[in-house]
Amino acid sequence: MKISISAVGRLRNSPEKELVDDYLSRFSKLSKPFGLSLSSVIEIEDKKGGGPMSEAKLLLKSLQRGSKIIALDERGVTLSSKEFTNYLSGWAADGVGYCHLVIGGAD
């Protein structure tokens, strides 16, 4: 199953970008036994400043049709790494082709 990430905002050259790059590198190495691979990371910038509704429309345009969608939010359900891996590897075993992680803009 291919994993894509769409996030509102740009990392540019920052300490956070280094952390993201390191995590993505580790993910690529460790995900293969679970049938997972990283497809793309899409940074979305709401240049018009339209707020959450505008961001949502831009995020929707980036999604692969038929993919499972996981919206990451600090107020959402917290899963352990093992629980999260079980979701993803279960979907991969069921023949799901794409999973899309979506991260909205700051509140």
Side-chain angles (χ1 to χ4, degrees), residues 1-3 27 34-39 68 87-93 95-100:
M1 178 171 64
K2 294 185 180 194
I3 308 277
F27 175 84
F34 299 98
L36 307 173
S37 65
L38 184 64
S39 175
K68 292 283 188 177
Y87 269 106
L88 296 178
S89 58
W91 289 338
V96 173
Y98 294 93
C99 177
H100 213 92

Side-chain angles (χ1 to χ4, degrees), residues 48-66:
K48 296 179 182 176
M53 290 304 290
S54 177
E55 291 173 0
K57 288 178 184 176
L58 292 170
L59 286 167
L60 282 172
K61 288 181 183 178
S62 72
L63 301 179
Q64 173 74 28
R65 187 178 189 148

Side-chain angles (χ1 to χ4, degrees), residues 19-104:
L19 291 171
V20 169
D21 289 345
D22 179 57
Y23 181 79
L24 294 175
S25 173
R26 288 188 284 150
F27 175 84
S28 293
K29 293 174 189 168
L30 299 172
S31 62
K32 288 182 174 91
F34 299 98
L36 307 173
S37 65
L38 184 64
S39 175
S40 62
V41 176
I42 303 162
E43 296 178 356
I44 296 170
E45 193 167 6
D46 182 14
K47 294 180 181 180
K48 296 179 182 176
M53 290 304 290
S54 177
E55 291 173 0
K57 288 178 184 176
L58 292 170
L59 286 167
L60 282 172
K61 288 181 183 178
S62 72
L63 301 179
Q64 173 74 28
R65 187 178 189 148
S67 65
K68 292 283 188 177
I69 300 168
I70 299 174
L72 301 176
D73 187 295
E74 62 189 9
R75 296 171 299 252
V77 176
T78 301
L79 300 174
S80 69
S81 294
K82 177 85 171 135
E83 292 169 322
F84 189 61
T85 301
N86 287 342
Y87 269 106
L88 296 178
S89 58
W91 289 338
D94 289 343
V96 173
Y98 294 93
C99 177
H100 213 92
L101 306 178
V102 178
I103 306 168

